Amino acid sequence: MQPWKSFRPDGVILFRSAERRGAGTRGAARARPPPRPPPSSLCSDILTPLPAIGLEFEIDDAKGPVLAHTVRDAAAVAALHALDLTALPFIGESLTALRAEVGPSGAAVLGFVGSPWTLATYAVEGGSSSTYTTIKRMALSAPDVLAALLDKLATAIADYAVHQAHSGAHAIQLFDSWGGQLPPAMWDVWSGPYIRRIVDAVHERAPGVPVTVYANGSGGLLERLGATGADVVGLDWTVDMADARARLGPGQAVQGNVDPVTLFAGDAAVDAAVAAVLAKAGPRGHILNLGHGVLVGTPEGAVARMFDVSKNARAAV
Amino acid sequence: MQPWKSFRPDGVILFRSAERRGAGTRGAARARPPPRPPPSSLCSDILTPLPAIGLEFEIDDAKGPVLAHTVRDAAAVAALHALDLTALPFIGESLTALRAEVGPSGAAVLGFVGSPWTLATYAVEGGSSSTYTTIKRMALSAPDVLAALLDKLATAIADYAVHQAHSGAHAIQLFDSWGGQLPPAMWDVWSGPYIRRIVDAVHERAPGVPVTVYANGSGGLLERLGATGADVVGLDWTVDMADARARLGPGQAVQGNVDPVTLFAGDAAVDAAVAAVLAKAGPRGHILNLGHGVLVGTPEGAVARMFDVSKNARAAV
């Protein structure tokens, strides 16, 4: 509610903060940005459902998420259970409350989930990774185990996404945060099909709820993200909006993609960056946004400026 | 010489190891891979020329390169001097020795340099960065200062690359390691033109020496890298080779792009990955390579396997 009260955005998202250590069993905790790119305070949030399938974790200030155990063989996969929504009561309660609070204004309540591949990287590696060696090796040398894990995760995440839609989310954001670390031919096997299952599940079980799919550093994956059936492709700042439009075609709605660092550079820089993205995206099928989350230390006035200039730009269309 | 003696590759590269602390004044030191992606043991190597223009640095085991001072205003830029090759005697000596040792075999001796933008990130941030906030802010709010810094770096790096060619390097690899962190429209201003100056300088002052340009996570930049005038575009594993061929056109030579993690997954995985890249790249204008450096912990036998299968594949063409 804090950003809602400050900025009156067109969309609000559920973010649940909790104590760092031992917080995993209760839900999401905010991870300190890791020391190397890409920063992702989303890690802890996309991990929220893991305890509800049998994967406990903690957030370590230095290391980020640390899982209580890793999932590296068939027995560990078999031990995972179906999503237990009773372990996540706060999700439905919070979304319903948000919907009641902001819904009448016309603002969208956004649900969000991680992709099966991205959640699997944490389950297999045991936490954050810089090289994804263990899970990629599993893909190449124990593909049945990884496929079984991804199948279970896809089912759980589909249930989780649908639950969020049924609890009040107007739209679902699906983060394949580490999908861009896969060679695209491996993404076609290990990430894309499982994303598609979740998109299809939301479309079937929560008709009218659009899905946005996003991956960090997706310049090698754009067309593939568009082919998942997602309603919107979210873009970070490493792809030019004009290039993305050309590669995805005019019929594909897009979201993004102002560089979050722009908000450190003063009002003129914010104004210019917003104008450039709007001009490249054109007047239809574009949700103006940053290309990633607001960075730690961003001046609050710059966030306000971005909202102001965006709303004025919209009024001028 | 160690990999040369073990594997007889088609190319060898100068890598200079030194003590960690205080090594900056003598040249390159091997940095421990940073804890978050992308890993880059190249950092210290591309930084080698910095002391020769007045920028001393140390390698800290935890933090990576740490510069003795940052370059954030016009005075600091003005204090940088032209490349003093007498501060880098080992470069010419080593390349000449390498050329004498491996040249008769027909193997290529590779020189390498960092891009002005990438070296500037270290000079401005004072070391490694996850968000590049200071230098991007400088680009947006003090563009004259950044342009002056990049101008000096481009001149120095061009001299450095030409010196390597004149000392025996058959080809130059130019690493725009952090170019992919720029929005492409900013890359067009702050990285591309300075890369082009270096490519042109090598072509003019060392005719016949080709230049390969590479950026980490370059899926949003591919066409731009091709437009630098570089003879070869190096690809990491985050772009599919078939997509890269389609985007760059059949006339653009490419290098890469087997995922380095493949070497952890056994001979069959190595064989399959090499075969897939070769099939997608086609028989001409392709230098088979990993998409990044060999990762710490890679089994030496897997490196040997990659060389074996690659040489056999070549023989079969």
Side-chain angles (χ1 to χ4, degrees), chain A residues 94-105:
Chain A
S94 304
L95 286 167
T96 302
L98 273 179
R99 173 72 171 247
E101 186 82 22
V102 313
S105 72

Side-chain angles (χ1 to χ4, degrees), chain A residues 34-39 43 122 128-134 136-137 140-141 178 180-186 217-221 223-224 237-240 243 247 259 261-262 264-265 269 280 295, chain B residues 34-39 43 122 128-134 136-137 140-141 178 180-186 217-221 223-224 237-240 243 247 259 261-262 264-265 269 280 295:
Chain A
R36 295 291 304 167
C43 291
Y122 294 96
S128 296
S129 173
S130 61
T131 57
Y132 306 90
T133 303
T134 309
K136 286 182 177 178
R137 190 169 49 200
L140 295 167
S141 55
W178 311 133
Q181 291 294 318
L182 278 169
M186 287 181 71
S218 61
L221 291 176
E223 296 82 357
R224 287 169 167 86
W237 67 94
T238 69
V239 173
D240 190 79
D243 295 340
R247 290 172 61 185
D259 187 345
V261 174
T262 311
F264 289 84
K280 289 173 180 174
L295 291 167
Chain B
R36 295 290 304 167
C43 290
Y122 293 95
S128 297
S129 173
S130 61
T131 57
Y132 307 90
T133 303
T134 309
K136 286 183 177 178
R137 190 168 51 201
L140 295 166
S141 56
W178 312 132
Q181 291 294 318
L182 278 169
M186 287 181 71
S218 60
L221 292 176
E223 296 82 356
R224 287 169 168 87
W237 67 93
T238 69
V239 173
D240 189 80
D243 295 341
R247 290 172 62 184
D259 187 345
V261 174
T262 311
F264 289 82
K280 288 173 180 175
L295 291 167

Side-chain angles (χ1 to χ4, degrees), chain A residues 188-201:
Chain A
D188 288 337
V189 176
W190 301 111
S191 191
Y194 300 96
I195 290 174
R196 200 168 295 118
R197 272 175 56 181
I198 294 164
V199 172
D200 289 347

Side-chain angles (χ1 to χ4, degrees), chain A residues 3-269:
Chain A
W4 170 251
K5 287 171 180 160
S6 296
F7 306 117
R8 294 279 150 171
D10 294 324
V12 298
I13 199 159
L14 171 62
F15 181 84
R16 189 173 174 93
S17 184
E19 321 88 275
R20 298 285 168 87
R21 286 221 155 260
T25 55
R26 294 196 56 243
R30 177 153 205 148
R32 178 174 291 200
R36 295 291 304 167
S40 178
S41 58
L42 296 167
C43 291
S44 55
D45 309 299
I46 60 175
L47 299 186
T48 298
L50 290 187
I53 63 169
L55 280 171
E56 303 290 337
F57 68 93
E58 291 186 345
I59 301 293
D60 181 274
D61 272 3
K63 290 187 284 187
V66 178
L67 272 75
H69 68 278
T70 56
V71 180
R72 296 184 178 177
D73 56 32
V77 174
L80 300 177
H81 55 74
L83 187 73
D84 175 13
L85 285 171
T86 66
L88 303 166
F90 50 87
I91 295 291
E93 292 163 11
S94 304
L95 286 167
T96 302
L98 273 179
R99 173 72 171 247
E101 186 82 22
V102 313
S105 72
V109 174
L110 307 176
F112 74 107
V113 299
S115 75
W117 162 260
T118 291
L119 294 192
T121 67
Y122 294 96
V124 173
E125 303 285 346
S128 296
S129 173
S130 61
T131 57
Y132 306 90
T133 303
T134 309
I135 190 169
K136 286 182 177 178
R137 190 169 49 200
M138 182 186 283
L140 295 167
S141 55
D144 291 350
V145 175
L146 183 56
L149 171 59
L150 290 167
D151 176 67
K152 280 202 166 184
L153 286 170
T155 300
I157 298 164
D159 288 347
Y160 184 52
V162 169
H163 171 66
Q164 292 184 52
H166 290 170
S167 300
H170 291 97
I172 300 291
Q173 304 235 23
L174 194 161
F175 290 91
D176 189 21
S177 303
W178 311 133
Q181 291 294 318
L182 278 169
M186 287 181 71
W187 189 92
D188 288 337
V189 176
W190 301 111
S191 191
Y194 300 96
I195 290 174
R196 200 168 295 118
R197 272 175 56 181
I198 294 164
V199 172
D200 289 347
V202 172
H203 287 168
E204 285 166 23
R205 295 158 59 191
V209 173
V211 180
T212 299
V213 63
Y214 168 92
N216 287 316
S218 61
L221 291 176
L222 274 196
E223 296 82 357
R224 287 169 167 86
L225 293 175
T228 57
D231 303 274
V232 184
V233 173
L235 303 168
D236 71 13
W237 67 94
T238 69
V239 173
D240 190 79
M241 179 59 81
D243 295 340
R245 278 295 202 199
R247 290 172 61 185
L248 290 167
Q252 174 65 63
V254 293
Q255 177 170 305
N257 71 343
V258 175
D259 187 345
V261 174
T262 311
L263 300 189
F264 289 84
D267 286 352

